[in-house]
Amino acid sequence: MLIKCPHCGARPVEEYTFLGDARPQRPTSNDPSTMEQWFDYVYLRDNPKGRFDEYVQHSGGCRAWLVVSRNTATHEIHGTVTARDWTKSRQGAKA
Amino acid sequence: MREGFHRISPLADVAIQGRFGADKGAPGVELSVRHPLSIVTVIARKDKAEALSAALAGLKGCVVQWAGADQYYAVSETYAEGALYRELREKLAGLASLSDQSHGRIVIRIAGPKARAVLAKGTPVDLHPNEFLRGKSAVTQMAHVGVHLTRTGEDAFELSVFRGFSENFWEWLTGQAEEFGYQVS
Ligand SMILES: [Zn+2]
C-alpha cells in the first residue's frame, strides 16, 4: 500500500504511523457542563465502512502529521493533506 | 578546532580503509565517512518559511539540505567546533530555531556505478537520475534506521544517520555492497 506524502511523494505504508479518526474535535471548554462533549471526544468513535479520514504521521520520513482519506473496505487512498491544511480548511468551513 | 581537542568518529574503528567484497574488476561503490563535520538543524519559525528559505539561499560556507517541511540541515567541513551554529544563530535570528547536531549525526558517502543498486536494497525512494535530482534530499528508512539521503553527484550520495546507529548501519551498508565489491577510503 502506497501513501503519497505531500512533502515526500509516494512511500510504502511501513513508513507511516496511524493515530486514528481525524474528525473528532477537541472541546474548547473545561466547564463541567461540557462533560458529555469530552466523553464523546475521548471515547466514542465511529467505525465506518468506506471513506475515512485519519491522522497519520510520516514517522519514517519527513515526520509531518497528515490526514489520509482512505476507504476502509478497499484501502483505496482518496487523498492526503497536511494536518495543518486539514485544520485550516475545517476552520474555514466553520467560519 | 581548539588545540588538544580532537573529535573521534564513532566509525573510526569500523570503517577500515581498503578493498572489500567481490574482488573482480573495479569496485562497484566507494564508501567514506565525512568527519569531522558541522551539522546544524534549521527549522522555520511560524510564518517564516519563505523568509527563511530566502535567507538560506544567501548563505556561504555551508551546504543547505532539505530535511522535511520547512526544515533543513546546514552542513560544512570548514567551521571550527560550534562555529557554524553560532554564525547561523546570528544570521537566522527570528526566522528559525536551530540545534547543533555535529556530534549527533554521521554522514557516510557512497559513490560509484552501483551506488543506486546498493541504496535501492534499503529505501523505497525513487533513485532514478531524472527523478531524484542532484542536490535533492529525502528522509527515509533503511534497515529500520532513519536516514537522511542526499544526491551529491552523478552517482554520488550522502547518508546521514544518528551516531548511535552508525556502526550498525555501516555493517548493513557494507553487507549490501559486498556483491559489487567496495572500496573504503
Ligand atoms: Zn513525508
Side-chain angles (χ1 to χ4, degrees):
Chain A
M1 189 160 121
L2 290 173
I3 296 172
K4 194 177 170 199
C5 170
H7 305 302
C8 305
R11 297 290 180 88
V13 70
E14 291 79 14
E15 285 195 2
Y16 295 91
T17 306
F18 288 76
L19 178 73
D21 197 342
R23 285 167 302 180
Q25 285 185 280
R26 196 174 196 274
T28 50
S29 168
N30 282 329
D31 193 283
S33 68
T34 61
M35 199 53 80
E36 209 159 301
Q37 289 171 32
W38 277 101
F39 186 81
D40 282 5
Y41 171 72
V42 175
Y43 295 110
L44 298 186
R45 292 292 179 271
D46 294 332
N47 186 19
K49 180 180 180 184
R51 194 169 168 149
F52 187 52
D53 301 317
E54 52 198 344
Y55 281 123
V56 171
Q57 191 192 18
H58 193 191
S59 49
C62 67
R63 301 176 301 279
W65 276 100
L66 312 171
V67 173
V68 176
S69 180
R70 174 178 67 97
N71 187 309
T72 56
T74 63
H75 287 320
E76 183 191 349
I77 306 283
H78 299 288
T80 310
V81 294
T82 62
R84 186 184 293 180
D85 286 345
W86 160 268
T87 305
K88 272 187 195 157
S89 70
R90 207 154 59 162
Q91 283 165 347
K94 261 194 300 185
Chain B
M1 206 168 284
R2 249 180 299 153
E3 270 202 327
F5 184 84
H6 178 60
R7 271 172 66 187
I8 298 171
S9 163
L11 293 177
D13 295 335
V14 186
I16 310 290
Q17 300 196 353
R19 169 78 193 258
F20 302 92
D23 57 2
K24 291 198 181 71
V29 295
E30 194 172 308
L31 299 172
S32 57
V33 181
R34 283 187 78 185
H35 179 85
L37 269 186
S38 298
I39 306 171
V40 177
T41 308
V42 179
I43 301 180
R45 297 237 173 117
K46 195 178 179 189
D47 299 325
K48 299 291 183 195
E50 275 176 38
L52 174 63
S53 58
L56 290 174
L59 285 183
K60 290 187 179 72
C62 66
V63 171
V64 176
Q65 300 169 340
W66 181 88
D70 307 332
Q71 302 176 39
Y72 306 88
Y73 286 125
V75 180
S76 177
E77 237 139 18
T78 56
Y79 283 80
E81 187 70 27
L84 178 63
Y85 172 77
R86 287 193 294 273
E87 183 179 312
L88 293 181
R89 198 174 51 183
E90 219 162 275
K91 286 187 173 165
L92 304 176
L95 299 179
S97 298
L98 309 177
S99 156
D100 194 333
Q101 294 294 320
S102 307
H103 294 238
R105 301 190 74 90
I106 293 299
V107 175
I108 299 169
R109 272 192 168 132
I110 177 166
K114 292 295 179 189
R116 277 184 189 80
V118 172
L119 298 178
K121 295 193 210 181
T123 177
V125 173
D126 187 347
L127 300 170
H128 191 280
N130 298 340
E131 189 59 37
F132 195 56
L133 302 177
R134 210 183 280 222
K136 200 175 165 186
S137 292
V139 192
T140 183
Q141 285 180 326
M142 291 187 202
H144 308 288
V145 175
V147 176
H148 180 253
L149 171 69
T150 303
R151 182 176 168 203
T152 54
E154 192 48 40
D155 292 320
F157 299 85
E158 282 183 6
L159 304 157
S160 166
V161 299
F162 281 135
R163 74 176 278 147
F165 295 140
S166 62
E167 187 173 340
N168 175 276
F169 184 73
W170 177 266
E171 279 172 19
W172 176 83
L173 187 66
T174 51
Q176 307 314 310
E178 209 145 276
E179 62 167 309
F180 307 115
Y182 62 94
Q183 177 83 36
V184 179
S185 54

